Amino acid sequence: MSAVNPTGAASQLHRDILTTLLPGFDGPVAPEWVLARLRDGLGGVCLFGENVVDPEQLRALNERLRAANPDAVIAIDEEGGDVTRLFYDRGAPFPGNAVLGRIDELELTRRVAAEVGRALAATGCTVTFGPDVDVNANPDNPVIGVRSFGDDPELVARHSAAWVEGLQQTGIAASAKHFPGHGDTATDSHLALPVVDVPLATLQERELVPFRAAIAAGARTIMTSHILLPQLDAEAPATLSPHILHSLLRGELGFEGVIVTDALDMKGASGAHGIPEAAVRALAAGCDLLCIGANNSDEQLGEIVAAIAEAIESGRLPADRVRDAAARVRALAATAPVVPAGPAAPEVIEPAHDDEEIARVVASFEVADAVRGHLLGASGIGTVVRVDTVANIAIGVAPWGPFAAEAVAPQPSWLSRADLVPVAHGEVLDDPAALAGPVLVIGKDLHRHAFARRAIDALRAVRDDVVTIDMGWPSHDRGYADVATYGASRLLGDAVLAFVDDALAPVAAR
């Protein structure tokens, strides 16, 4: 079968191959090659932060994409927390999964998911790669952390189901990820192949519990993980494993929707084989929709199509497997919501939050007893040490925490009045004793980064007015998290501003 100008039955199979592919592209305007591929049957596109300028631009972009192929899947990584694409320029106005798990009110989780869904539907998206249903069993996890609802499988399961239900009532399809569980890893699968070598009983009692709940709640898609689970398959990562996808996910768990890969440009999937071969193996293993990655090209897509066509010709990949995958993708596309006429209402895109909602988020913080003692009696915060760790690729460089909150809605606050001292990866904090106090250290996953630990240790060695606010997932001993917020979305930033204001209030009232 020729992948170039195919005719007849070959033409339909060529179209089926294209329907299984979900590339990304650079910039806010769809390149002509993407539109041409969509007209030829490309399954859809995956949007990233660099594709989004604002809601109206995104709406126009999606209208153009869907005009080229009305059956296109328009997927986006909008998790409603630290991982955001719709709010990549200013941080998400949602609490994120870990905070929702700590509050543990299922109706709130459903409401937040519905808010995410309405915002995406208003801009023309059809699928979001969420919720993250991983059980974050390892506090040193470099890529999951606060994206998880928690470390208790049953809690994660009930909130995963609630999130799926809340989202999908808006017409947006959910994608529970990262099957069969990325929570017990210490390696980022963007960069290498993580290994989770735990007994089958542990997988059944921990990792698989939330996926069962998400499937029961009707999740239309499930995203695979690029991790090796030797107790299930000693050779192939989950994305490329027929046993994990066919026997476990389709067979034991009974999932009938679309199996979508995590991005194949990640080293955990294609580091050993290259992207075209990884695409062939993923389809053969049982995946239906192949997320290629970001900033793809027409040449790259052509190489993937050619590799799949060659695998079919040689008998390595049954043509019926590709036809079945394409049919599932088309069925998913048929569930897409109709984009409402007219411009999207601002309150639909970005719901406001009142003081009561902010207070509920603040109440979810884990606060050491000594924190308020360090702040009570202070006339204000003297210095804020902003610790900028290297963000994992899933999160990217979206604004975070109180810095995002203050940038979007500037207002006089302790943050605007304090001296700001940035400390980035590899840097050393100069003369910590000379800083005006009290000193707030604000960062994410502080315990995981040696330069951050050194800066905090240096401060604590010479002064007793230091408070650390960790906006990531803290270590078990909370050694570098006097305050643990379990998230760094813009909404969490508003909550941090309110929390510190409240701690300083007794002095301000005098």
Side-chain angles (χ1 to χ4, degrees), residues 95-121:
N97 285 2
V99 172
L100 290 173
R102 288 180 62 77
I103 295 174
D104 198 14
E105 295 178 10
L106 296 183
E107 278 308 310
L108 175 62
T109 296
R110 288 190 189 93
R111 178 170 67 79
V112 169
E115 289 175 348
V116 172
R118 284 191 289 270
L120 294 178

Side-chain angles (χ1 to χ4, degrees), residues 224-419:
T224 64
S225 64
H226 308 323
I227 62 176
L228 189 69
L229 298 105
Q231 302 298 324
L232 294 176
D233 189 326
E235 297 180 358
T239 299
L240 311 182
S241 171
H243 175 70
I244 291 175
L245 301 185
H246 181 73
S247 299
L248 179 57
L249 182 53
R250 292 282 190 216
E252 182 179 331
L253 273 63
F255 180 64
E256 297 181 354
V258 169
I259 300 176
V260 59
T261 71
D262 206 345
L264 293 182
D265 63 357
M266 296 165 61
K267 296 300 183 183
S270 57
H273 308 292
I275 295 175
E277 177 63 16
V280 170
R281 294 184 181 216
L283 281 169
C287 294
D288 304 307
L289 185 58
L290 312 184
C291 181
I292 309 303
N295 302 332
N296 302 129
S297 67
D298 190 44
E299 180 183 7
Q300 186 181 41
L301 209 66
E303 292 172 354
I304 295 169
V305 170
I308 294 171
E310 182 180 344
I312 293 172
E313 285 182 343
S314 68
R316 290 180 58 213
L317 176 62
D320 284 347
R321 167 79 275 275
V322 178
R323 294 189 185 100
D324 173 68
R328 291 180 188 273
V329 174
R330 292 183 188 115
L332 172 67
T335 69
V338 175
V339 183
E347 63 270 18
V348 171
I349 301 297
E350 193 162 349
H353 299 278
D354 59 24
D355 290 344
E356 183 179 343
E357 291 174 305
I358 295 291
R360 180 157 50 173
V361 172
V362 170
S364 75
F365 292 177
E366 191 174 270
V367 183
D369 292 340
V371 167
R372 288 184 174 84
H374 286 315
L375 300 180
L376 286 173
S379 58
I381 302 301
T383 305
V384 172
V385 176
R386 171 176 172 160
V387 179
D388 279 304
T389 53
V390 177
N392 70 60
I393 294 172
I395 293 174
V397 293
W400 60 277
F403 313 106
E406 189 175 67
V408 169
Q411 54 188 333
S413 73
W414 55 265
L415 182 57
S416 62
R417 292 188 291 267
D419 295 334

Side-chain angles (χ1 to χ4, degrees), residues 97-160:
N97 285 2
V99 172
L100 290 173
R102 288 180 62 77
I103 295 174
D104 198 14
E105 295 178 10
L106 296 183
E107 278 308 310
L108 175 62
T109 296
R110 288 190 189 93
R111 178 170 67 79
V112 169
E115 289 175 348
V116 172
R118 284 191 289 270
L120 294 178
T123 54
C125 298
T126 69
V127 176
T128 187
F129 290 143
D132 187 313
V133 308
D134 299 307
V135 179
N136 197 61
N138 184 352
D140 293 329
N141 196 316
V143 70
I144 303 302
V146 299
R147 301 166 66 191
S148 166
F149 289 108
D151 56 10
D152 176 349
E154 295 297 334
L155 178 144
V156 175
R158 60 179 178 265
H159 284 276
S160 297

Side-chain angles (χ1 to χ4, degrees), residues 375-380 414 417 500-510:
L375 300 180
L376 286 173
S379 58
W414 55 265
R417 292 188 291 267
V500 177
D501 275 339
D502 181 66
L504 298 173
V507 171
R510 290 203 294 265

